[in-house]
Amino acid sequence: QISEDGREQPVDQQRMPGFVHLPSARQLTVQMMQNPQILAALQERLDGLVGSPSGYMESLPKVVKRRVNALKNLQVKCAHIEAKFYEEVHELERKYAALYQPLFDKRSDIVKAAYEPTEEECEWKADEEEELTEEMKEKAKVEEEKKDEEKEDPKGIPEFWLTVFKNVDLLSDMLQEHDEPILKHLQDIKVKFSDPGQPMSFSLEFYFEPNEFFTNTLLTKTYKMRSEPDENDPFSFDGPEIMGCTGCTIDWTKGKNITLKTIKKKQKHKGRGTVRTVTKTVPNDSFFNFFTPPDVPESGDLDEDSEAVLAADFEIGHFIRERIVPRAVLYFTGEAIEDDDDDYDEEGEEADDEEGEEEGEEENDPDYDPKVGRRAYC
């Protein structure tokens, strides 16, 4: 549009009769992605594509298909050999667990003050960068002795396992404030493997000193495993899988059961209109719910909530067995956590760089909507 003085003026598209403003392709995409019905339909379509054949196999000559079937039969045999491999690994774990156990027992004795380590056992050579001068060592020694004089001599390593749990995100997420006074009494955690010739399984044994909360000195959690391909889906085999778990009964002292809480509700009578207060006992969040997992029916069918609880439970049980028990002192000091973080540094930096580049490109796009442009990473 040109003005009387010859200068170009912007066109008011909204006031031009018959003019229809067409959104850009990106704006259309954003609008579609904000529509839950479209998203649901798209997800359903994508779910239907998962595992669907590409059509390539159907296009192969019959004689080639026969040979591919022969390869698949070989693959099934490989899966059965792999299952045997994992069974032997389980046997090796059992064998070496017996070799580790005397060391873990000594660790437990030191933690609970049943054994005082010698000067030689307590010597630890620091990393070169952490080495101190003789003067600094002497100063540190004097300060430590002064602190020891000011307070009572602690026995063993107080709150060892509680500190381990609090230092590990996977476990600290389970802890509630009311769990901590009880876990201060936890003295040891052991892993026990199934006996030779018995179905594959492992148990976690939690040893407690006498306390005011329950009369048990041992709480157990047993995980049953299977190391064999599924007859209906042999190609899905990827090592032993946990088939179920059983906990134990905690003999709580009266009034100390922190897995339950009492709530009061007011109820109004429909006819008379009177109000009464009803007391109900309901489940309460607690680490000790770990010992009462959902029952797995013989059919194996579970609702979504139970499946989610069991999936998290299996992950925690496996982590305690594989990482916490063998390396407890390093989780107590935080060194194992630093090592875990180091495993992800490089990948994280790369992801940050890539994300930064993407954000830059999106910000330069005039149609970019920052509220819609966020991504969730699992």
Side-chain angles (χ1 to χ4, degrees):
Q1 186 174 351
I2 308 299
S3 63
E4 292 180 358
D5 58 2
R7 288 182 296 177
E8 186 176 4
Q9 293 182 334
V11 176
D12 189 345
Q13 296 172 342
Q14 302 296 330
R15 296 184 180 181
M16 290 182 66
F19 181 86
V20 178
H21 174 66
L22 296 175
S24 69
R26 187 177 184 90
Q27 288 173 324
L28 280 173
T29 302
V30 168
Q31 291 169 11
M32 289 172 65
M33 291 299 100
Q34 290 175 323
N35 187 321
Q37 292 179 332
I38 293 176
L39 283 174
L42 180 60
Q43 185 62 53
E44 185 178 351
R45 175 64 177 157
L46 290 173
D47 290 342
L49 292 174
V50 175
S52 60
S54 63
Y56 175 71
M57 281 297 297
E58 286 73 11
S59 68
L60 293 175
K62 186 176 180 179
V63 65
V64 176
K65 289 181 182 178
R66 288 179 69 253
R67 294 168 189 150
V68 171
N69 288 339
L71 295 184
K72 291 170 77 173
N73 284 324
L74 291 174
Q75 190 63 44
V76 172
K77 292 180 180 179
C78 286
H80 284 281
I81 292 173
E82 186 179 5
K84 293 295 181 185
F85 164 78
Y86 284 113
E87 287 178 6
E88 293 195 22
V89 168
H90 189 70
E91 294 295 326
L92 277 174
E93 285 184 310
R94 181 189 296 110
K95 173 185 174 182
Y96 278 88
L99 300 177
Y100 288 129
Q101 197 54 53
L103 302 177
F104 294 157
D105 288 342
K106 196 165 190 177
R107 176 181 70 188
S108 176
D109 288 342
I110 293 172
V111 167
K112 63 186 182 184
Y115 172 76
E116 184 63 34
T118 65
E119 287 294 328
E120 184 181 355
E121 290 174 322
C122 293
E123 284 183 11
W124 180 257
K125 182 173 173 58
D127 294 336
E128 291 182 7
E129 65 213 34
E130 296 175 356
E131 287 185 358
L132 305 174
T133 64
E134 288 301 322
E135 184 181 348
M136 293 175 68
K137 285 181 183 178
E138 188 62 32
K139 185 178 179 181
K141 185 178 179 181
V142 170
E143 289 179 357
E144 284 182 9
E145 289 174 352
K146 187 178 179 182
K147 288 179 182 178
D148 289 342
E149 290 173 2
E150 293 174 355
K151 60 183 179 181
E152 281 186 35
D153 182 25
K155 303 297 182 183
I157 303 179
E159 303 180 16
F160 178 82
W161 289 102
L162 173 59
T163 304
V164 170
F165 278 37
K166 291 171 76 172
N167 280 347
V168 178
D169 289 342
L170 185 65
L171 302 178
S172 65
D173 289 344
M174 301 169 63
L175 296 185
Q176 307 298 320
E177 189 174 345
H178 47 253
D179 291 321
E180 295 189 15
I182 307 177
L183 288 172
K184 288 179 181 179
H185 297 285
L186 179 59
Q187 293 185 314
D188 198 13
I189 304 175
K190 295 181 180 180
V191 179
K192 185 178 180 180
F193 293 94
S194 54
D195 294 329
Q198 295 298 313
M200 188 183 294
S201 68
F202 70 91
S203 297
L204 300 176
E205 299 180 339
F206 294 73
Y207 290 84
F208 288 84
E209 65 182 352
N211 60 81
E212 62 181 297
F213 301 97
F214 46 69
T215 58
N216 312 65
T217 56
L218 173 64
L219 301 180
T220 59
K221 184 73 169 285
T222 300
Y223 291 88
K224 299 173 183 176
M225 299 186 295
R226 182 181 69 179
S227 181
E228 59 184 47
D230 188 334
E231 291 183 4
N232 298 320
D233 187 16
F235 301 134
S236 65
F237 181 74
D238 191 28
E241 57 181 333
I242 296 176
M243 302 303 296
C245 58
T246 53
C248 65
T249 301
I250 301 178
D251 300 319
W252 293 98
T253 304
K254 187 177 180 179
K256 298 291 186 179
N257 187 348
I258 58 172
T259 64
L260 299 174
K261 64 181 177 181
T262 302
I263 60 171
K264 292 182 179 181
K265 283 189 174 182
K266 290 185 177 181
Q267 292 182 343
K268 188 175 182 180
H269 193 279
K270 293 181 180 179
R272 295 192 297 270
T274 56
V275 177
R276 67 173 183 174
T277 301
V278 178
T279 301
K280 293 180 65 177
T281 301
V282 297
N284 191 27
D285 289 338
S286 168
F287 165 77
F288 290 89
N289 291 325
F290 178 71
F291 298 98
T292 53
D295 292 326
V296 180
E298 291 184 7
S299 63
D301 296 330
L302 292 167
D303 57 53
E304 288 186 5
D305 290 342
S306 296
E307 280 189 358
V309 170
L310 279 178
D313 188 296
F314 295 168
E315 182 183 2
I316 291 163
H318 184 74
F319 190 82
I320 292 174
R321 165 196 161 180
E322 291 286 325
R323 307 296 294 272
I324 298 298
V325 172
R327 310 177 71 200
V329 66
L330 300 182
Y331 283 99
F332 177 81
T333 62
E335 292 166 88
I337 299 144
E338 292 170 6
D339 290 343
D340 291 344
D341 292 341
D342 289 343
D343 292 341
Y344 294 95
D345 278 348
E346 187 174 347
E347 185 178 340
E349 287 166 6
E350 289 175 3
D352 290 344
D353 292 341
E354 290 169 5
E355 187 177 345
E357 290 172 9
E358 289 175 2
E359 286 177 356
E361 291 170 4
E362 288 166 341
E363 287 170 1
N364 292 331
D365 186 337
D367 296 325
Y368 172 62
D369 183 351
K371 293 181 181 177
V372 181
R374 297 188 184 122
R375 290 180 176 82
Y377 294 93
C378 297

